[in-house]
mmCIF file with all atom_site columns, all heavy atoms in Angstrom:
data_model
loop_
_atom_site.group_PDB
_atom_site.id
_atom_site.type_symbol
_atom_site.label_atom_id
_atom_site.label_alt_id
_atom_site.label_comp_id
_atom_site.label_asym_id
_atom_site.label_entity_id
_atom_site.label_seq_id
_atom_site.pdbx_PDB_ins_code
_atom_site.Cartn_x
_atom_site.Cartn_y
_atom_site.Cartn_z
_atom_site.occupancy
_atom_site.B_iso_or_equiv
_atom_site.pdbx_formal_charge
_atom_site.auth_seq_id
_atom_site.auth_comp_id
_atom_site.auth_asym_id
_atom_site.auth_atom_id
_atom_site.pdbx_PDB_model_num
ATOM 1   N N   . ASN S 1 26  ? -74.423 6.526  42.742 1.00 0.00 ? 46  ASN S N   1
ATOM 2   C CA  . ASN S 1 26  ? -73.148 6.825  43.438 1.00 0.00 ? 46  ASN S CA  1
ATOM 3   C C   . ASN S 1 26  ? -72.446 5.511  43.852 1.00 0.00 ? 46  ASN S C   1
ATOM 4   O O   . ASN S 1 26  ? -71.653 5.539  44.722 1.00 0.00 ? 46  ASN S O   1
ATOM 5   C CB  . ASN S 1 26  ? -73.407 7.701  44.676 1.00 0.00 ? 46  ASN S CB  1
ATOM 6   C CG  . ASN S 1 26  ? -73.868 9.117  44.290 1.00 0.00 ? 46  ASN S CG  1
ATOM 7   O OD1 . ASN S 1 26  ? -73.790 9.522  43.118 1.00 0.00 ? 46  ASN S OD1 1
ATOM 8   N ND2 . ASN S 1 26  ? -74.421 9.895  45.244 1.00 0.00 ? 46  ASN S ND2 1
ATOM 9   N N   . ARG S 1 32  ? -66.000 2.989  47.670 1.00 0.00 ? 52  ARG S N   1
ATOM 10  C CA  . ARG S 1 32  ? -64.792 3.551  48.114 1.00 0.00 ? 52  ARG S CA  1
ATOM 11  C C   . ARG S 1 32  ? -64.825 4.107  49.465 1.00 0.00 ? 52  ARG S C   1
ATOM 12  O O   . ARG S 1 32  ? -63.997 3.845  50.313 1.00 0.00 ? 52  ARG S O   1
ATOM 13  C CB  . ARG S 1 32  ? -64.188 4.692  47.076 1.00 0.00 ? 52  ARG S CB  1
ATOM 14  C CG  . ARG S 1 32  ? -63.706 4.115  45.772 1.00 0.00 ? 52  ARG S CG  1
ATOM 15  C CD  . ARG S 1 32  ? -63.419 5.251  44.794 1.00 0.00 ? 52  ARG S CD  1
ATOM 16  N NE  . ARG S 1 32  ? -62.253 6.037  45.217 1.00 0.00 ? 52  ARG S NE  1
ATOM 17  C CZ  . ARG S 1 32  ? -62.140 7.345  44.749 1.00 0.00 ? 52  ARG S CZ  1
ATOM 18  N NH1 . ARG S 1 32  ? -63.019 7.897  43.944 1.00 0.00 ? 52  ARG S NH1 1
ATOM 19  N NH2 . ARG S 1 32  ? -61.005 8.000  45.048 1.00 0.00 ? 52  ARG S NH2 1
ATOM 20  N N   . ARG S 1 33  ? -65.903 4.863  49.759 1.00 0.00 ? 53  ARG S N   1
ATOM 21  C CA  . ARG S 1 33  ? -66.007 5.483  51.035 1.00 0.00 ? 53  ARG S CA  1
ATOM 22  C C   . ARG S 1 33  ? -66.367 4.495  52.180 1.00 0.00 ? 53  ARG S C   1
ATOM 23  O O   . ARG S 1 33  ? -65.833 4.594  53.258 1.00 0.00 ? 53  ARG S O   1
ATOM 24  C CB  . ARG S 1 33  ? -67.078 6.538  51.024 1.00 0.00 ? 53  ARG S CB  1
ATOM 25  C CG  . ARG S 1 33  ? -66.695 7.847  50.184 1.00 0.00 ? 53  ARG S CG  1
ATOM 26  C CD  . ARG S 1 33  ? -67.477 8.951  50.557 1.00 0.00 ? 53  ARG S CD  1
ATOM 27  N NE  . ARG S 1 33  ? -67.080 10.134 49.730 1.00 0.00 ? 53  ARG S NE  1
ATOM 28  C CZ  . ARG S 1 33  ? -67.909 10.964 49.102 1.00 0.00 ? 53  ARG S CZ  1
ATOM 29  N NH1 . ARG S 1 33  ? -69.219 10.785 49.172 1.00 0.00 ? 53  ARG S NH1 1
ATOM 30  N NH2 . ARG S 1 33  ? -67.442 12.001 48.396 1.00 0.00 ? 53  ARG S NH2 1
ATOM 31  N N   . LYS S 1 142 ? -76.410 12.770 63.750 1.00 0.00 ? 162 LYS S N   1
ATOM 32  C CA  . LYS S 1 142 ? -74.988 12.506 63.920 1.00 0.00 ? 162 LYS S CA  1
ATOM 33  C C   . LYS S 1 142 ? -74.316 13.737 64.499 1.00 0.00 ? 162 LYS S C   1
ATOM 34  O O   . LYS S 1 142 ? -73.368 13.592 65.388 1.00 0.00 ? 162 LYS S O   1
ATOM 35  C CB  . LYS S 1 142 ? -74.319 12.247 62.544 1.00 0.00 ? 162 LYS S CB  1
ATOM 36  C CG  . LYS S 1 142 ? -72.853 11.951 62.555 1.00 0.00 ? 162 LYS S CG  1
ATOM 37  C CD  . LYS S 1 142 ? -72.295 11.566 61.242 1.00 0.00 ? 162 LYS S CD  1
ATOM 38  C CE  . LYS S 1 142 ? -72.669 10.074 60.887 1.00 0.00 ? 162 LYS S CE  1
ATOM 39  N NZ  . LYS S 1 142 ? -71.882 9.137  61.699 1.00 0.00 ? 162 LYS S NZ  1
ATOM 40  N N   . GLU S 1 146 ? -72.660 12.659 67.965 1.00 0.00 ? 166 GLU S N   1
ATOM 41  C CA  . GLU S 1 146 ? -71.253 12.480 67.817 1.00 0.00 ? 166 GLU S CA  1
ATOM 42  C C   . GLU S 1 146 ? -70.488 13.881 67.794 1.00 0.00 ? 166 GLU S C   1
ATOM 43  O O   . GLU S 1 146 ? -69.615 14.084 68.618 1.00 0.00 ? 166 GLU S O   1
ATOM 44  C CB  . GLU S 1 146 ? -70.820 11.653 66.634 1.00 0.00 ? 166 GLU S CB  1
ATOM 45  C CG  . GLU S 1 146 ? -71.518 10.284 66.578 1.00 0.00 ? 166 GLU S CG  1
ATOM 46  C CD  . GLU S 1 146 ? -71.582 9.532  65.250 1.00 0.00 ? 166 GLU S CD  1
ATOM 47  O OE1 . GLU S 1 146 ? -70.623 9.761  64.489 1.00 0.00 ? 166 GLU S OE1 1
ATOM 48  O OE2 . GLU S 1 146 ? -72.485 8.795  64.999 1.00 0.00 ? 166 GLU S OE2 1
ATOM 49  N N   . ALA S 1 149 ? -70.894 15.705 71.043 1.00 0.00 ? 169 ALA S N   1
ATOM 50  C CA  . ALA S 1 149 ? -70.951 14.645 72.134 1.00 0.00 ? 169 ALA S CA  1
ATOM 51  C C   . ALA S 1 149 ? -70.173 15.207 73.399 1.00 0.00 ? 169 ALA S C   1
ATOM 52  O O   . ALA S 1 149 ? -70.390 14.634 74.509 1.00 0.00 ? 169 ALA S O   1
ATOM 53  C CB  . ALA S 1 149 ? -70.490 13.285 71.727 1.00 0.00 ? 169 ALA S CB  1
ATOM 54  N N   . ALA S 1 150 ? -69.272 15.982 73.171 1.00 0.00 ? 170 ALA S N   1
ATOM 55  C CA  . ALA S 1 150 ? -68.373 16.475 74.324 1.00 0.00 ? 170 ALA S CA  1
ATOM 56  C C   . ALA S 1 150 ? -69.087 17.446 75.213 1.00 0.00 ? 170 ALA S C   1
ATOM 57  O O   . ALA S 1 150 ? -68.613 17.786 76.294 1.00 0.00 ? 170 ALA S O   1
ATOM 58  C CB  . ALA S 1 150 ? -67.112 17.022 73.904 1.00 0.00 ? 170 ALA S CB  1
ATOM 59  N N   . ASN S 1 151 ? -70.299 17.975 74.812 1.00 0.00 ? 171 ASN S N   1
ATOM 60  C CA  . ASN S 1 151 ? -70.979 19.028 75.472 1.00 0.00 ? 171 ASN S CA  1
ATOM 61  C C   . ASN S 1 151 ? -72.132 18.606 76.248 1.00 0.00 ? 171 ASN S C   1
ATOM 62  O O   . ASN S 1 151 ? -72.986 17.772 75.862 1.00 0.00 ? 171 ASN S O   1
ATOM 63  C CB  . ASN S 1 151 ? -71.486 20.045 74.459 1.00 0.00 ? 171 ASN S CB  1
ATOM 64  C CG  . ASN S 1 151 ? -70.322 20.714 73.736 1.00 0.00 ? 171 ASN S CG  1
ATOM 65  O OD1 . ASN S 1 151 ? -69.904 21.824 74.079 1.00 0.00 ? 171 ASN S OD1 1
ATOM 66  N ND2 . ASN S 1 151 ? -69.803 20.153 72.642 1.00 0.00 ? 171 ASN S ND2 1
ATOM 67  N N   . LEU S 1 297 ? -75.289 25.409 64.339 1.00 0.00 ? 317 LEU S N   1
ATOM 68  C CA  . LEU S 1 297 ? -76.475 25.367 63.430 1.00 0.00 ? 317 LEU S CA  1
ATOM 69  C C   . LEU S 1 297 ? -76.289 24.389 62.241 1.00 0.00 ? 317 LEU S C   1
ATOM 70  O O   . LEU S 1 297 ? -75.201 24.366 61.702 1.00 0.00 ? 317 LEU S O   1
ATOM 71  C CB  . LEU S 1 297 ? -76.676 26.793 62.848 1.00 0.00 ? 317 LEU S CB  1
ATOM 72  C CG  . LEU S 1 297 ? -77.745 26.938 61.791 1.00 0.00 ? 317 LEU S CG  1
ATOM 73  C CD1 . LEU S 1 297 ? -79.102 26.936 62.368 1.00 0.00 ? 317 LEU S CD1 1
ATOM 74  C CD2 . LEU S 1 297 ? -77.491 28.162 60.948 1.00 0.00 ? 317 LEU S CD2 1
ATOM 75  N N   . GLN S 1 299 ? -78.233 23.136 58.778 1.00 0.00 ? 319 GLN S N   1
ATOM 76  C CA  . GLN S 1 299 ? -79.279 23.572 57.894 1.00 0.00 ? 319 GLN S CA  1
ATOM 77  C C   . GLN S 1 299 ? -79.268 22.837 56.527 1.00 0.00 ? 319 GLN S C   1
ATOM 78  O O   . GLN S 1 299 ? -78.234 22.545 56.092 1.00 0.00 ? 319 GLN S O   1
ATOM 79  C CB  . GLN S 1 299 ? -79.186 25.111 57.623 1.00 0.00 ? 319 GLN S CB  1
ATOM 80  C CG  . GLN S 1 299 ? -80.267 25.731 56.834 1.00 0.00 ? 319 GLN S CG  1
ATOM 81  C CD  . GLN S 1 299 ? -80.077 27.218 56.727 1.00 0.00 ? 319 GLN S CD  1
ATOM 82  O OE1 . GLN S 1 299 ? -79.638 27.871 57.644 1.00 0.00 ? 319 GLN S OE1 1
ATOM 83  N NE2 . GLN S 1 299 ? -80.346 27.789 55.511 1.00 0.00 ? 319 GLN S NE2 1
ATOM 84  N N   . SER S 1 310 ? -80.267 10.376 51.041 1.00 0.00 ? 330 SER S N   1
ATOM 85  C CA  . SER S 1 310 ? -78.878 10.756 51.444 1.00 0.00 ? 330 SER S CA  1
ATOM 86  C C   . SER S 1 310 ? -78.690 10.355 52.881 1.00 0.00 ? 330 SER S C   1
ATOM 87  O O   . SER S 1 310 ? -77.629 9.739  53.192 1.00 0.00 ? 330 SER S O   1
ATOM 88  C CB  . SER S 1 310 ? -78.645 12.195 51.158 1.00 0.00 ? 330 SER S CB  1
ATOM 89  O OG  . SER S 1 310 ? -77.459 12.632 51.858 1.00 0.00 ? 330 SER S OG  1
ATOM 90  N N   . SER S 1 334 ? -78.800 3.661  80.332 1.00 0.00 ? 354 SER S N   1
ATOM 91  C CA  . SER S 1 334 ? -78.497 4.874  81.098 1.00 0.00 ? 354 SER S CA  1
ATOM 92  C C   . SER S 1 334 ? -79.404 6.045  80.666 1.00 0.00 ? 354 SER S C   1
ATOM 93  O O   . SER S 1 334 ? -79.240 7.181  81.232 1.00 0.00 ? 354 SER S O   1
ATOM 94  C CB  . SER S 1 334 ? -77.013 5.202  81.076 1.00 0.00 ? 354 SER S CB  1
ATOM 95  O OG  . SER S 1 334 ? -76.627 5.450  79.764 1.00 0.00 ? 354 SER S OG  1
ATOM 96  N N   . ASN C 1 26  ? -67.331 17.969 82.071 1.00 0.00 ? 38  ASN C N   1
ATOM 97  C CA  . ASN C 1 26  ? -68.317 17.151 81.523 1.00 0.00 ? 38  ASN C CA  1
ATOM 98  C C   . ASN C 1 26  ? -67.914 15.630 81.717 1.00 0.00 ? 38  ASN C C   1
ATOM 99  O O   . ASN C 1 26  ? -68.426 14.768 80.956 1.00 0.00 ? 38  ASN C O   1
ATOM 100 C CB  . ASN C 1 26  ? -68.578 17.380 80.039 1.00 0.00 ? 38  ASN C CB  1
ATOM 101 C CG  . ASN C 1 26  ? -69.150 18.826 79.860 1.00 0.00 ? 38  ASN C CG  1
ATOM 102 O OD1 . ASN C 1 26  ? -69.594 19.417 80.766 1.00 0.00 ? 38  ASN C OD1 1
ATOM 103 N ND2 . ASN C 1 26  ? -69.042 19.258 78.646 1.00 0.00 ? 38  ASN C ND2 1
ATOM 104 N N   . ARG C 1 32  ? -70.645 8.485  80.122 1.00 0.00 ? 44  ARG C N   1
ATOM 105 C CA  . ARG C 1 32  ? -71.874 7.823  79.707 1.00 0.00 ? 44  ARG C CA  1
ATOM 106 C C   . ARG C 1 32  ? -71.945 7.745  78.161 1.00 0.00 ? 44  ARG C C   1
ATOM 107 O O   . ARG C 1 32  ? -72.376 6.712  77.616 1.00 0.00 ? 44  ARG C O   1
ATOM 108 C CB  . ARG C 1 32  ? -73.118 8.592  80.200 1.00 0.00 ? 44  ARG C CB  1
ATOM 109 C CG  . ARG C 1 32  ? -73.327 8.382  81.707 1.00 0.00 ? 44  ARG C CG  1
ATOM 110 C CD  . ARG C 1 32  ? -74.445 9.294  82.236 1.00 0.00 ? 44  ARG C CD  1
ATOM 111 N NE  . ARG C 1 32  ? -75.790 8.980  81.790 1.00 0.00 ? 44  ARG C NE  1
ATOM 112 C CZ  . ARG C 1 32  ? -76.833 9.841  81.777 1.00 0.00 ? 44  ARG C CZ  1
ATOM 113 N NH1 . ARG C 1 32  ? -76.643 11.130 82.114 1.00 0.00 ? 44  ARG C NH1 1
ATOM 114 N NH2 . ARG C 1 32  ? -77.956 9.512  81.315 1.00 0.00 ? 44  ARG C NH2 1
ATOM 115 N N   . ARG C 1 33  ? -71.687 8.894  77.548 1.00 0.00 ? 45  ARG C N   1
ATOM 116 C CA  . ARG C 1 33  ? -71.762 8.825  76.059 1.00 0.00 ? 45  ARG C CA  1
ATOM 117 C C   . ARG C 1 33  ? -70.764 7.921  75.364 1.00 0.00 ? 45  ARG C C   1
ATOM 118 O O   . ARG C 1 33  ? -71.016 7.296  74.342 1.00 0.00 ? 45  ARG C O   1
ATOM 119 C CB  . ARG C 1 33  ? -71.679 10.294 75.531 1.00 0.00 ? 45  ARG C CB  1
ATOM 120 C CG  . ARG C 1 33  ? -72.843 11.098 75.905 1.00 0.00 ? 45  ARG C CG  1
ATOM 121 C CD  . ARG C 1 33  ? -73.072 12.319 75.044 1.00 0.00 ? 45  ARG C CD  1
ATOM 122 N NE  . ARG C 1 33  ? -74.192 13.118 75.394 1.00 0.00 ? 45  ARG C NE  1
ATOM 123 C CZ  . ARG C 1 33  ? -74.194 14.471 75.562 1.00 0.00 ? 45  ARG C CZ  1
ATOM 124 N NH1 . ARG C 1 33  ? -73.028 15.174 75.388 1.00 0.00 ? 45  ARG C NH1 1
ATOM 125 N NH2 . ARG C 1 33  ? -75.234 15.149 75.932 1.00 0.00 ? 45  ARG C NH2 1
ATOM 126 N N   . LYS C 1 142 ? -66.829 15.639 60.251 1.00 0.00 ? 154 LYS C N   1
ATOM 127 C CA  . LYS C 1 142 ? -67.749 14.552 60.398 1.00 0.00 ? 154 LYS C CA  1
ATOM 128 C C   . LYS C 1 142 ? -68.933 14.678 59.432 1.00 0.00 ? 154 LYS C C   1
ATOM 129 O O   . LYS C 1 142 ? -69.353 13.683 58.873 1.00 0.00 ? 154 LYS C O   1
ATOM 130 C CB  . LYS C 1 142 ? -68.179 14.470 61.848 1.00 0.00 ? 154 LYS C CB  1
ATOM 131 C CG  . LYS C 1 142 ? -69.113 13.262 62.139 1.00 0.00 ? 154 LYS C CG  1
ATOM 132 C CD  . LYS C 1 142 ? -69.494 13.140 63.625 1.00 0.00 ? 154 LYS C CD  1
ATOM 133 C CE  . LYS C 1 142 ? -68.313 12.539 64.432 1.00 0.00 ? 154 LYS C CE  1
ATOM 134 N NZ  . LYS C 1 142 ? -68.195 11.159 64.155 1.00 0.00 ? 154 LYS C NZ  1
ATOM 135 N N   . GLU C 1 146 ? -68.949 11.573 56.966 1.00 0.00 ? 158 GLU C N   1
ATOM 136 C CA  . GLU C 1 146 ? -69.976 10.641 57.311 1.00 0.00 ? 158 GLU C CA  1
ATOM 137 C C   . GLU C 1 146 ? -71.419 11.122 56.939 1.00 0.00 ? 158 GLU C C   1
ATOM 138 O O   . GLU C 1 146 ? -72.088 10.462 56.273 1.00 0.00 ? 158 GLU C O   1
ATOM 139 C CB  . GLU C 1 146 ? -69.856 10.316 58.812 1.00 0.00 ? 158 GLU C CB  1
ATOM 140 C CG  . GLU C 1 146 ? -68.470 9.814  59.268 1.00 0.00 ? 158 GLU C CG  1
ATOM 141 C CD  . GLU C 1 146 ? -68.183 9.843  60.731 1.00 0.00 ? 158 GLU C CD  1
ATOM 142 O OE1 . GLU C 1 146 ? -69.201 9.729  61.549 1.00 0.00 ? 158 GLU C OE1 1
ATOM 143 O OE2 . GLU C 1 146 ? -67.019 10.014 61.107 1.00 0.00 ? 158 GLU C OE2 1
ATOM 144 N N   . ALA C 1 149 ? -71.769 11.346 53.273 1.00 0.00 ? 161 ALA C N   1
ATOM 145 C CA  . ALA C 1 149 ? -70.909 10.426 52.607 1.00 0.00 ? 161 ALA C CA  1
ATOM 146 C C   . ALA C 1 149 ? -71.612 9.687  51.417 1.00 0.00 ? 161 ALA C C   1
ATOM 147 O O   . ALA C 1 149 ? -71.028 9.167  50.585 1.00 0.00 ? 161 ALA C O   1
ATOM 148 C CB  . ALA C 1 149 ? -70.422 9.316  53.583 1.00 0.00 ? 161 ALA C CB  1
ATOM 149 N N   . ALA C 1 150 ? -72.958 9.799  51.364 1.00 0.00 ? 162 ALA C N   1
ATOM 150 C CA  . ALA C 1 150 ? -73.673 9.061  50.265 1.00 0.00 ? 162 ALA C CA  1
ATOM 151 C C   . ALA C 1 150 ? -73.624 9.924  48.991 1.00 0.00 ? 162 ALA C C   1
ATOM 152 O O   . ALA C 1 150 ? -74.093 9.400  47.914 1.00 0.00 ? 162 ALA C O   1
ATOM 153 C CB  . ALA C 1 150 ? -75.145 8.841  50.698 1.00 0.00 ? 162 ALA C CB  1
ATOM 154 N N   . ASN C 1 151 ? -73.193 11.143 49.056 1.00 0.00 ? 163 ASN C N   1
ATOM 155 C CA  . ASN C 1 151 ? -73.241 12.017 47.925 1.00 0.00 ? 163 ASN C CA  1
ATOM 156 C C   . ASN C 1 151 ? -71.992 12.275 47.165 1.00 0.00 ? 163 ASN C C   1
ATOM 157 O O   . ASN C 1 151 ? -70.887 12.326 47.761 1.00 0.00 ? 163 ASN C O   1
ATOM 158 C CB  . ASN C 1 151 ? -73.649 13.448 48.425 1.00 0.00 ? 163 ASN C CB  1
ATOM 159 C CG  . ASN C 1 151 ? -75.120 13.455 49.053 1.00 0.00 ? 163 ASN C CG  1
ATOM 160 O OD1 . ASN C 1 151 ? -76.007 13.760 48.284 1.00 0.00 ? 163 ASN C OD1 1
ATOM 161 N ND2 . ASN C 1 151 ? -75.190 13.092 50.237 1.00 0.00 ? 163 ASN C ND2 1
ATOM 162 N N   . LEU C 1 297 ? -75.610 23.212 55.179 1.00 0.00 ? 309 LEU C N   1
ATOM 163 C CA  . LEU C 1 297 ? -74.865 24.291 55.813 1.00 0.00 ? 309 LEU C CA  1
ATOM 164 C C   . LEU C 1 297 ? -74.589 23.962 57.262 1.00 0.00 ? 309 LEU C C   1
ATOM 165 O O   . LEU C 1 297 ? -75.451 23.502 57.986 1.00 0.00 ? 309 LEU C O   1
ATOM 166 C CB  . LEU C 1 297 ? -75.691 25.598 55.833 1.00 0.00 ? 309 LEU C CB  1
ATOM 167 C CG  . LEU C 1 297 ? -75.162 26.782 56.659 1.00 0.00 ? 309 LEU C CG  1
ATOM 168 C CD1 . LEU C 1 297 ? -74.087 27.479 55.944 1.00 0.00 ? 309 LEU C CD1 1
ATOM 169 C CD2 . LEU C 1 297 ? -76.258 27.788 56.998 1.00 0.00 ? 309 LEU C CD2 1
ATOM 170 N N   . GLN C 1 299 ? -72.715 25.628 60.688 1.00 0.00 ? 311 GLN C N   1
ATOM 171 C CA  . GLN C 1 299 ? -72.366 26.983 61.124 1.00 0.00 ? 311 GLN C CA  1
ATOM 172 C C   . GLN C 1 299 ? -72.062 26.953 62.673 1.00 0.00 ? 311 GLN C C   1
ATOM 173 O O   . GLN C 1 299 ? -72.777 26.275 63.434 1.00 0.00 ? 311 GLN C O   1
ATOM 174 C CB  . GLN C 1 299 ? -73.468 27.964 60.848 1.00 0.00 ? 311 GLN C CB  1
ATOM 175 C CG  . GLN C 1 299 ? -73.215 29.413 61.269 1.00 0.00 ? 311 GLN C CG  1
ATOM 176 C CD  . GLN C 1 299 ? -74.351 30.349 60.835 1.00 0.00 ? 311 GLN C CD  1
ATOM 177 O OE1 . GLN C 1 299 ? -74.928 30.135 59.775 1.00 0.00 ? 311 GLN C OE1 1
ATOM 178 N NE2 . GLN C 1 299 ? -74.661 31.278 61.669 1.00 0.00 ? 311 GLN C NE2 1
ATOM 179 N N   . SER C 1 310 ? -64.196 21.279 72.231 1.00 0.00 ? 322 SER C N   1
ATOM 180 C CA  . SER C 1 310 ? -65.332 20.372 71.990 1.00 0.00 ? 322 SER C CA  1
ATOM 181 C C   . SER C 1 310 ? -65.088 19.536 70.799 1.00 0.00 ? 322 SER C C   1
ATOM 182 O O   . SER C 1 310 ? -65.487 18.363 70.870 1.00 0.00 ? 322 SER C O   1
ATOM 183 C CB  . SER C 1 310 ? -66.521 21.364 71.614 1.00 0.00 ? 322 SER C CB  1
ATOM 184 O OG  . SER C 1 310 ? -67.595 20.624 71.113 1.00 0.00 ? 322 SER C OG  1
ATOM 185 N N   . SER C 1 334 ? -56.814 4.981  48.039 1.00 0.00 ? 346 SER C N   1
ATOM 186 C CA  . SER C 1 334 ? -57.736 5.297  46.886 1.00 0.00 ? 346 SER C CA  1
ATOM 187 C C   . SER C 1 334 ? -57.837 6.774  46.718 1.00 0.00 ? 346 SER C C   1
ATOM 188 O O   . SER C 1 334 ? -58.582 7.219  45.918 1.00 0.00 ? 346 SER C O   1
ATOM 189 C CB  . SER C 1 334 ? -59.076 4.559  47.055 1.00 0.00 ? 346 SER C CB  1
ATOM 190 O OG  . SER C 1 334 ? -59.716 4.914  48.196 1.00 0.00 ? 346 SER C OG  1
#
Side-chain angles (χ1 to χ4, degrees):
Chain S
N46 296 345
R52 284 171 72 201
R53 290 201 180 132
K162 185 174 281 289
E166 302 166 29
N171 293 267
L317 172 77
Q319 182 177 323
S330 166
S354 59
Chain C
N38 296 345
R44 284 171 73 201
R45 291 200 179 131
K154 183 174 281 288
E158 302 166 29
N163 293 268
L309 172 78
Q311 181 176 322
S322 167
S346 60

